[in-house]
Amino acid sequence: MKTCPTCQLKYPDNYAICPDDGSALQEAFSWTDGKIVRGKYQLIAKVGQGGMGSVYKALHIAFGELRALKVIAPELLSDELFVKRFKHEAVITRRLQHPNAVRVDDIDEAEDGRPYIVMEFIDGKSLKKLIREEGPLPVPRVLSIIKQCASALDAAHKLGMVHRDIKPDNIALVDTPDGE
């Protein structure tokens, strides 16, 4: 999203000049390290990129807590159906309260007009990375991972949710006092 510095109107990214007054448009907001989103979250680093958007590690400034912000890609902002599905994902996922599923805290809209989902930040290693580093895993460990994933998926399915993107990249392994 771009903004006219003269009239303050917003335009899509493919516009360069304000159609009303001819001023050169400026980036309304950029998702870069250190940037403050909605006066609440300071971006620390981009931690993921996918077809639908990006995920950032952020600090909730008032609480001093880490969060993950998932924001849709700018080119998808004009797809009203996609934006509606993205927001619906946040609402449904917020209802999922399970120890093996990421917790959704909020949904909001950034200064650039893009909706974003606020989630707990998971500081773990992806299953894909673990397999790449360690190779075949011992059967008891595999069974433990599968059991936890299946339990989270079962809870999601009971809420009518379908994940649609289960893969080793999207499974995070976290060390806790109770185990992995």
Side-chain angles (χ1 to χ4, degrees), residues 21-160:
D21 59 39
S23 298
L25 298 177
Q26 300 172 345
E27 287 291 327
F29 183 83
S30 61
W31 289 75
T32 55
D33 295 357
K35 191 73 171 180
I36 307 292
V37 179
R38 299 299 273 178
K40 293 190 273 189
Y41 303 100
Q42 182 172 17
L43 300 179
I44 296 171
K46 183 188 257 188
V47 294
Q49 176 77 42
M52 80 178 336
S54 303
V55 178
Y56 293 85
K57 179 179 182 179
L59 177 70
H60 188 293
I61 297 167
F63 298 146
E65 297 172 347
L66 292 178
R67 292 290 181 262
L69 304 184
K70 180 179 183 180
V71 62
I72 67 170
E75 60 272 12
L76 295 173
L77 190 57
S78 61
D79 183 340
E80 291 179 31
L81 180 61
F82 181 82
V83 172
K84 184 177 178 180
R85 281 195 336 246
F86 182 83
K87 290 178 179 180
H88 183 68
E89 171 192 331
V91 171
I92 295 294
T93 307
R94 174 139 173 102
R95 293 182 15 220
L96 179 60
Q97 301 293 315
H98 191 277
N100 300 116
V102 69
R103 186 187 70 248
V104 169
D105 293 332
D106 199 5
I107 185 166
D108 203 346
E109 194 171 286
E111 289 82 352
D112 63 358
R114 293 160 58 191
Y116 64 94
I117 299 171
V118 181
M119 303 175 288
E120 72 176 309
F121 179 76
I122 303 293
D123 192 13
K125 183 186 292 190
S126 77
L127 180 57
K128 181 178 182 175
K129 185 174 181 180
L130 177 73
I131 293 169
R132 195 177 319 125
E133 290 175 356
E134 298 184 23
L137 303 175
V139 172
R141 189 173 186 193
V142 171
L143 292 175
S144 174
I145 294 168
I146 290 171
K147 182 179 178 184
Q148 293 175 67
C149 291
S151 179
L153 287 170
D154 180 56
H157 291 169
K158 286 178 180 172
L159 292 172

Side-chain angles (χ1 to χ4, degrees), residues 162-177:
V162 178
H163 191 288
R164 291 189 179 93
D165 200 19
I166 300 299
K167 59 185 179 185
D169 248 351
N170 291 340
I171 297 171
L173 304 171
V174 180
D175 290 323
T176 70

